[in-house]
Amino acid sequence: MLSIKLDAGSERPLIEQVYLLICKEIEQGHIRPGERLPSRRELAEQLKVSTTTVETVYEHLLEEGICESRPRSGLYVLDAHPAPAAAVRLPEVLVRWDFGTGAMDPAQFPYSTWAKLMRIVLTEQSDELLRTGDPQGSRPLRREIAKMIQRLRGFDVDPERIVLAAGTDILVAILITLIGRERLFAVEDPGYSRARRILIAGGARIAPISLTDGAINVRELYQTGAGAAYVTPGRQFPTGQEMAMDGRERLMRWANETGAYVLEDDYEGEFTFSDSPLPPLAALDTHERVVYINTFARTLAPGLRISYMILPGALRDRYCELYSACSVPGFEQSALEKFISGGYFERHIKRMRQIYRERRNCLTEHVARLHLGELHRNNAGLFELLSVNSGMSSEQLVEKARQAGVRLTALSDYSILPDRAEESGTVLLGLAGMDTEQIRDGLETLKSAWQID
Amino acid sequence: MLSIKLDAGSERPLIEQVYLLICKEIEQGHIRPGERLPSRRELAEQLKVSTTTVETVYEHLLEEGICESRPRSGLYVLDAHPAPAAAVRLPEVLVRWDFGTGAMDPAQFPYSTWAKLMRIVLTEQSDELLRTGDPQGSRPLRREIAKMIQRLRGFDVDPERIVLAAGTDILVAILITLIGRERLFAVEDPGYSRARRILIAGGARIAPISLTDGAINVRELYQTGAGAAYVTPGRQFPTGQEMAMDGRERLMRWANETGAYVLEDDYEGEFTFSDSPLPPLAALDTHERVVYINTFARTLAPGLRISYMILPGALRDRYCELYSACSVPGFEQSALEKFISGGYFERHIKRMRQIYRERRNCLTEHVARLHLGELHRNNAGLFELLSVNSGMSSEQLVEKARQAGVRLTALSDYSILPDRAEESGTVLLGLAGMDTEQIRDGLETLKSAWQID
């Protein structure tokens, strides 16, 4: 048991104080390499803080590589942990409530099923898992994905058109090489800033296109002479609007007339809460203009690193010329194949829909009860837009939240052109990363951080 | 039991005949979806062919997605296998002996250790494995890699400079974005054609530079104004020569004087057979000009998709700005960390060195005994160069080998500038993919394919 206590007069956030205390104990040799830290409960009781606070600090120590976790035992200081100087550097304010749109909730991952399937894969000891394998990803997995898309998203897919990669970033980088840098890539503005960054890093020239009723402005697409457009029709990111049917038809007409490619990012397609969602552009594609992009990062876990796209024939042929390896390991491919074919994937999606529905309801209810602001209503997805009438700018809202341990982003973070009046004071609240209790606590923390009465 | 037999008068290769027979049986419904194929031994006896031939055909049926393998049971025809029309399309001549330089031997993979460690990872059920994780790859794994490099390659590495990715292709694509497309990328000619292809696909301008005594010609580097050079100093690919110390010093002087980056691909660094190998360029780098690149594809298995690089500080900072995810899944990262820290990796390398040494000796011995041609002597690596004095061009040698079921490449396959007299009639024989018996059989097959007395 350590004989440490917190300085009652300190103005540092509690989490930082606890973190620095532990680092000091390690630095001064009171807890030595190989020794176990006190349990979360013990330390919480001793310091008179919540176990959540200790939990957060311990997670940070793990991330920093100062400690390791041993199952059913606890946290141990590592032999070769970073030098104390590095270890006691002030951490940023720790995130206790993550309303980030990319957040995930590990508690919901079907760990035992995944582990069971992975064990089967390991037992089979197939030689094929060790080789470079099919450059598009294994055929059996692609067949399962095609059938799953047909069932969940309602359109027919030729497995020979599917290409897997270790994340959407890599898919986008590949797409630039397939489509060619001579084409101008249109992106939605506001839009998915990470795709924009990868396009620019990949050497593509981009044209930010404004939105009209939540859909990319097709007139501007003609005007700029874009040869490709990266869009999120299922749920425009970040405004949250679904692209209407006539918008979809206009967009497809533009692609057909000009021979441009439409890159359809269907990032939350499995989690629409609409009773009658519109068909994806890929289902409306009569002239092989659409590249359909989706990921298992949202439906399973980002750490698995599995995304996929469905290519028009010409791009698929070019892919086969250029690429000789798929970036997803054989083990993961085989486990995912079994996960989908065994029906686990769709059962998981069904379960998650229910959970996300509850979280949405919780969010709606507590935003109203706490008078936090106005939620933008829509039928889909894992984040909501909240307009806060506190007189604070988006930046101030995000900064105040950060200081209180709440991570969220502002609508304006995703815009290229600055200062759209309608975006001011609007933030995105992702609900995939927390359970209902945490959502409620997070919203209450926001209320006090933003000083809303 | 099927009532099929081979047509004795057919001139098709045996493997193709067997393959087409089975496809026809499936097509005509004699073997139906869900039914088991005869065992390898049964079919071999019935058709009076070797079990290896049946094995090869069955592997092809698996790859094509017509059948699936059930452990301890056999091969079953899939419910939704590709349409018969696709199924009976003529396969290329099947590869029975793979002298490819990227080939691997699954029998040597430490499967039980890897499976054991992966099971431990799965049991720990750590949340961190599911999240996007550290964009450079997990810190504990990077620390293990740094220590391993120090022990195996003899130089100090800061783990904070290491970046992991799902394959060298992805590392190269990332490097283009870090170094910038405004720089000219010099490549060795002849050189590693896949890196060249990825550089071009990534939008980099490349300058092929000739070799002098197996080292990239530094005068040409100055002349072309290259801002980066992709080199293989440990063992030039494909000529197999080690870059001499003065060549290394000249190259580093060029980089220091011009501010260029040297991309050092140390692809077989663990398998040098020299008693006193020269230090990698990364160990000679005093001005942060070297990017060191290596992969676990050669030392463990390509299917794992794990490569890494060590970046100069400026490029590392740019990496952190641009990239928010590492493409290697959390599970693989954690298993590899345990594999290295447990000492398994270095034991495996030691074992493989011995095995490769035996294969090299076998190759040398049988090339001499069969009078196949002249081997280029050198101290390193997993492939050898063979000059064949048969009057045939490299293309003819490769094609004759292909028809006989032997995969190999010609030295000239890696050149940009055509018709170097010294390359004619020279082929590469990789020895990582086969055991000594297969190597001997393969060489005997080559002797008869090339009609060498």
Side-chain angles (χ1 to χ4, degrees), chain A residues 33-322:
Chain A
E35 282 187 11
R36 197 173 72 87
L37 293 186
S39 78
R40 287 151 176 81
R41 201 183 36 76
E42 276 167 20
L43 189 63
E45 279 178 11
Q46 188 185 351
L47 298 179
K48 312 263 180 300
V49 298
S50 76
T51 51
T52 317
T53 301
V54 178
E55 176 72 39
T56 314
V57 169
Y58 277 16
E59 268 175 27
H60 204 75
L61 290 167
L62 280 171
E63 259 175 49
E64 291 268 292
I66 296 168
C67 296
E68 64 174 352
S69 172
R70 299 188 194 159
R72 283 176 298 278
S73 172
L75 238 61
Y76 288 78
V77 178
L78 277 167
D79 281 349
H81 62 79
V88 296
R89 77 159 186 257
L90 249 180
E92 286 186 59
V93 184
L94 295 164
V95 177
R96 284 215 38 199
W97 296 277
D98 191 351
F99 286 104
T101 53
M104 75 142 334
D105 181 359
Q108 300 306 328
F109 181 74
Y111 227 122
S112 57
T113 306
W114 188 265
K116 183 183 74 181
L117 298 177
M118 191 58 111
R119 283 191 193 103
I120 293 173
V121 172
L122 289 163
T123 309
E124 286 174 2
Q125 303 216 347
S126 157
D127 290 353
E128 288 315 306
L129 302 179
L130 303 175
R131 301 188 196 273
T132 307
D134 191 310
Q136 291 178 244
S138 90
R139 272 219 184 78
L141 172 56
R142 286 189 273 126
R143 273 198 297 272
E144 289 304 329
I145 291 176
K147 287 189 274 179
M148 175 272 283
I149 293 171
Q150 163 51 240
R151 290 186 302 254
L152 282 180
R153 305 293 291 129
F155 64 100
D156 288 328
V157 179
D158 176 359
E160 291 305 310
R161 299 291 182 83
I162 295 177
V163 167
L164 289 140
T168 304
D169 290 4
I170 294 178
L171 288 181
V172 173
I174 290 171
L175 279 170
I176 299 169
T177 69
L178 304 183
I179 291 173
R181 286 178 192 79
E182 69 283 2
R183 292 193 187 226
L184 183 65
F185 283 73
V187 294
E188 297 167 326
D189 183 30
Y192 183 40
S193 46
R194 188 156 152 189
R196 206 156 66 208
R197 207 165 58 232
I198 297 297
L199 282 168
I200 294 169
R205 293 172 301 129
I206 67 160
I209 306 285
S210 69
L211 304 177
T212 311
D213 296 332
I216 195 162
N217 187 318
V218 173
R219 184 168 298 149
E220 289 182 35
L221 284 177
Y222 281 101
Q223 286 167 354
T224 54
Y230 192 98
V231 294
T232 48
R235 192 174 193 223
Q236 205 280 328
F237 188 87
T239 63
Q241 288 180 273
E242 187 184 28
M243 191 185 288
M245 199 60 204
D246 59 344
R248 288 172 195 243
E249 283 162 0
R250 266 196 305 274
L251 182 58
M252 288 314 301
R253 204 179 313 132
W254 164 76
N256 293 340
E257 283 177 8
T258 63
Y261 285 109
V262 175
L263 315 185
E264 175 180 34
D265 186 343
D266 195 33
Y267 66 103
E268 284 180 1
E270 297 83 359
F271 296 117
T272 172
F273 296 111
S274 160
D275 292 330
S276 53
L278 293 172
L281 297 174
L284 307 172
D285 185 18
T286 49
H287 290 67
E288 306 222 357
R289 304 324 310 163
V290 175
V291 176
Y292 176 90
I293 302 171
N294 208 334
T295 175
F296 291 97
R298 307 297 288 155
T299 46
L300 278 170
L304 296 180
R305 311 307 306 150
I306 314 180
S307 295
Y308 62 93
M309 58 183 170
I310 308 169
L311 293 175
L315 297 184
R316 188 261 182 188
D317 293 346
R318 179 130 176 79
Y319 178 87
C320 292
E321 280 165 31
L322 274 175

